[in-house]
Amino acid sequence: MRIALVGNTQTQLARLRRYLDFEAEILLDDDTRATRNAPLEVDAIMRQVPKGKLITIDDIRRCLAEKHRATIACPITTGIFAWIAAHAADKAEHAGQKKITPYWRTLKTAGQLNPKYPGGIDNLVSRLRAEGHSIQQKGSRYLVPDYAQKSGV
């Protein structure tokens, strides 16, 4: 197994080694330019999702793993970088920019909306419904039930 740690930190590496119970080749990104640009890689993938389509963090991880010729990409940093992209887009939108990263189209695993994105669940539900998606509430979670059929990757 090959694991790419894009945007690697020592803490992330220590956690990964603790959770792995098998032999794995861990590829550390020694190119400081690539490390510095790792959040931009996630943002670029998120920007490619057209209106009416959706993507999950797992889809983004698969794209990153393919790009870096690895078996998996780190779920922790991928989620953090998606959060960064979402908040940067919100800030740009409030500054008057029209073309922003459509962060509301990026879902968590199993089609779940991310309540940590700007504006919380209400904002995400409003934007997704405006694009024709149906939202279901299950307990405290909000989901797009047919997210897999609307994959933008």
Side-chain angles (χ1 to χ4, degrees):
M1 175 175 279
R2 292 170 50 122
I3 302 169
L5 297 179
V6 179
N8 175 48
T9 67
Q10 291 302 319
T11 304
Q12 177 186 358
L13 183 57
R15 281 188 192 136
L16 183 61
R17 285 194 172 124
R18 199 170 48 233
Y19 290 118
L20 292 177
D21 60 350
F22 53 87
E23 289 297 315
E25 176 185 0
I26 299 174
L27 306 173
L28 299 178
D29 190 350
D30 291 329
D31 183 350
T32 56
R33 286 174 298 148
T35 300
R36 190 172 56 246
N37 292 330
L40 297 177
E41 288 182 45
V42 172
D43 183 75
I45 294 168
M46 291 170 70
R47 282 181 175 269
Q48 293 175 14
V49 182
K51 185 175 182 177
K53 298 291 185 179
L54 301 167
I55 192 169
T56 66
I57 292 294
D58 290 340
D59 295 331
I60 294 173
R61 290 177 53 219
R62 275 191 286 282
C63 290
L64 292 170
E66 285 177 21
K67 179 180 178 181
H68 293 280
R69 295 181 314 270
T71 307
I72 61 173
C74 177
I76 297 167
T77 55
T78 305
I80 291 168
F81 295 157
W83 181 90
I84 290 169
H87 284 271
D90 183 61
K91 185 175 181 179
E93 185 175 43
H94 281 85
Q97 190 172 329
K98 298 292 181 206
K99 188 171 174 135
I100 63 166
T101 300
Y103 60 88
W104 55 93
R105 297 178 192 150
T106 301
L107 306 174
K108 294 170 68 174
T109 302
Q112 185 177 345
L113 277 60
N114 190 337
K116 295 181 181 177
Y117 281 172
I121 293 296
D122 291 340
N123 177 45
L124 299 176
V125 167
S126 173
R127 288 177 185 260
L128 288 169
R129 283 189 175 146
E131 292 185 1
H133 300 288
S134 61
I135 311 297
Q136 286 183 351
Q137 183 177 0
K138 290 191 176 183
S140 63
R141 300 179 318 144
Y142 289 79
L143 309 163
V144 178
D146 57 348
Y147 74 94
Q149 290 78 34
K150 297 182 177 186
S151 177
V153 180

